Amino acid sequence: MPAEKKPMRYGHTEGHTDVCFDESGSYIVTCGNDGDIRIWENLDDDDPKSINVGEKAYSVALKNGRLVTAVSNNTVQIHTFPDGAPDGILTRFTTNANHVVFNDSGTRVAAGSSDFMVKVVDVNDSSQQKTLRGHDAPVLSVAFDPKDIFLASASCDGFVRVWKIADQECVTSWPLLEKSNDVVNAKSICRLSWQSRSGKVLAVPVGKSVKLYSRDYWDNTFDLSDDSITQTLNVVSWSPCGRYLAAGSIDGNIVVWNVENKKCLERVKHEKSYTICGLAWHPRGGQIAYTDNEGNLGLLENVADLIEKAS
C-alpha cells in the first residue's frame, strides 16, 4: 500500500521554505519568505503559533527546546521552543546564512552562508566557533555526521566537501554540481544527509539520482535512481532508523528507497508539481513532512511501513 498523501496547507508566502519536527514528533515547524516560523500541532491545525524572526527565514532547526533560524539580516538566531521567546544571536555572517542544522546531541549548530563560509558554533557558548574555509561560492547546505567528527557541505562552486570539524580541514571534495553564482540561480539546493545513527554513508542529490559515499574511503559506493524522477533532485533525508532514504525533486516528485536492497518503495507526486525544498521524517518514522517553494506544507503518512512489514 503506497503512502497516503494529505491535502497540502498554505503555510507561508511564495518562496523558499524549510521544515522540521520537534524530537517528540508532536509539532511540525516551518519557516518561509515571510520571515515567520510556524509551529503546527498537526496538518489540520487552523491556528499554528507564529513567531516573526526577521524579513525572511531561510532555514530552521530544532533540538532540546531551542529553535535556530537562518535569517535575512545575516544572523543565526535562537528562540526558545515551544514558547518562541528570543534567546539571542548565535552567530553572524557578512551576508545571509542559507542553511542551519543541529548535531545529533543538540550541542552544536552548523551554518552555511552566501559569504562562502561554514561555521560550527557551540550552542551554550557561542564564542566557541570553528570556521571552515574553502568554498569559492555561496554555501547551499550543510550536514553533521551523526558521530560528530565530520561535516559535509555543498556549494554553488560545484563542490561537495567533507570537513574534519576538530581540525577545520577539508578531508575530501567532489565536483558534483553545476556551478552558479548565487543560491537563487542554483539548479538544486543540494540538501545532503548522513545516514542516521551510523553515519556510514553520505547521501548527495546530484542530477536525477542520489550518490552515496562511504565514510571509510570516501568512494561513491552506489547511486539510487528511479524512472519516475525526470528532473533534478533538490533534497534528501534519511529515516531515523537509517534504512530508508527520501528525496524530493524540483518538479515535485518525492521518492523513498530501501537503501539495503536499493528498491524504490514510494513514488509521490506533488499536486501542483512545485519544487520540494524541505523534507523531514517524523522521529519515529512512517511520516514525512514536506514544503515547497510556494510556501505550502504537506504530509505523507504510512511511508514505507506497510510494504516493508509485508515483505
Side-chain angles (χ1 to χ4, degrees):
M1 221 175 110
E4 183 188 349
K5 181 172 73 172
K6 296 287 189 185
M8 294 194 77
R9 291 291 308 271
Y10 172 78
H12 299 272
T13 54
E14 179 186 330
H16 176 79
T17 48
D18 196 11
V19 63
C20 63
F21 281 94
D22 74 315
E23 293 107 308
S24 71
S26 306
Y27 297 99
I28 302 170
V29 180
T30 59
C31 74
N33 248 6
D34 45 18
D36 288 339
I37 303 293
R38 296 230 155 79
I39 301 170
W40 309 72
E41 289 187 9
N42 52 54
L43 199 63
D44 303 321
D45 188 348
D46 285 329
D47 190 23
K49 185 183 175 87
S50 195
I51 308 159
N52 186 264
V53 294
E55 195 178 325
K56 290 183 180 180
Y58 298 109
S59 179
V60 61
L62 173 58
K63 274 264 163 77
N64 301 343
R66 288 184 160 121
L67 195 61
V68 171
T69 49
V71 186
S72 51
N73 64 355
N74 310 345
T75 63
V76 174
Q77 298 181 17
I78 304 186
H79 287 74
T80 60
F81 181 85
D83 47 347
D87 199 18
I89 289 171
L90 194 58
T91 189
R92 296 176 188 273
F93 292 91
T94 55
T95 179
N96 55 281
N98 299 309
H99 194 209
V100 290
V101 290
F102 271 102
N103 64 352
D104 269 17
S105 63
T107 55
R108 300 203 275 189
V109 165
S113 165
S114 284
D115 66 7
F116 313 176
M117 300 291 181
V118 176
K119 289 185 182 180
V120 178
V121 189
D122 190 307
V123 175
N124 292 317
D125 179 4
S126 61
S127 67
Q128 298 293 313
Q129 297 196 10
K130 293 184 185 297
T131 303
L132 310 177
R133 295 179 172 90
H135 281 300
D136 297 320
V139 179
L140 294 162
S141 68
V142 288
F144 271 107
D145 152 32
K147 298 203 181 309
D148 222 18
I149 296 167
F150 300 112
L151 184 93
S153 59
S155 164
C156 294
D157 63 13
F159 280 87
V160 169
R161 292 179 179 270
V162 177
W163 311 82
K164 193 168 184 184
I165 300 168
D167 304 340
Q168 300 179 65
E169 282 183 5
C170 178
V171 293
T172 190
S173 64
W174 306 286
L176 297 176
L177 310 172
E178 275 188 39
K179 292 183 181 181
S180 58
N181 59 0
D182 197 8
V183 177
V184 291
N185 301 322
K187 205 158 192 184
S188 160
I189 54 173
C190 192
R191 289 277 191 265
L192 26 72
S193 183
W194 294 86
Q195 187 170 20
S196 306
R197 297 181 181 173
S198 69
K200 275 185 183 170
V201 181
L202 174 68
V204 185
V206 181
K208 296 171 193 170
S209 64
V210 181
K211 291 189 171 295
L212 290 105
Y213 291 86
S214 85
R215 76 182 286 137
D216 296 331
Y217 304 104
W218 304 122
D219 55 332
N220 179 199
T221 46
F222 60 93
D223 294 357
L224 293 170
S225 59
D226 188 70
D227 291 343
S228 69
I229 303 164
T230 56
Q231 295 282 335
T232 301
L233 292 173
N234 211 29
V235 288
V236 296
S237 179
W238 287 90
S239 64
C241 65
R243 287 182 70 192
Y244 310 115
L245 184 72
S249 74
I250 60 170
D251 67 338
N253 269 315
I254 298 174
V255 289
V256 180
W257 293 274
N258 176 326
V259 178
E260 288 164 18
N261 60 22
K262 306 180 183 59
K263 264 191 193 166
C264 186
L265 302 177
E266 305 283 6
R267 299 174 182 88
V268 179
K269 184 75 180 147
H270 184 294
E271 55 200 44
K272 291 186 176 168
S273 299
Y274 293 153
T275 294
I276 307 294
C277 46
L279 205 57
W281 287 81
H282 188 281
R284 291 189 298 280
Q287 261 189 4
I288 293 175
Y290 60 100
T291 54
D292 62 32
N293 66 349
E294 296 284 334
N296 303 300
L297 167 67
L299 191 68
L300 303 180
E301 293 192 333
N302 305 323
V303 180
D305 268 13
L306 305 175
I307 300 172
E308 286 298 290
K309 281 170 187 162
S311 64

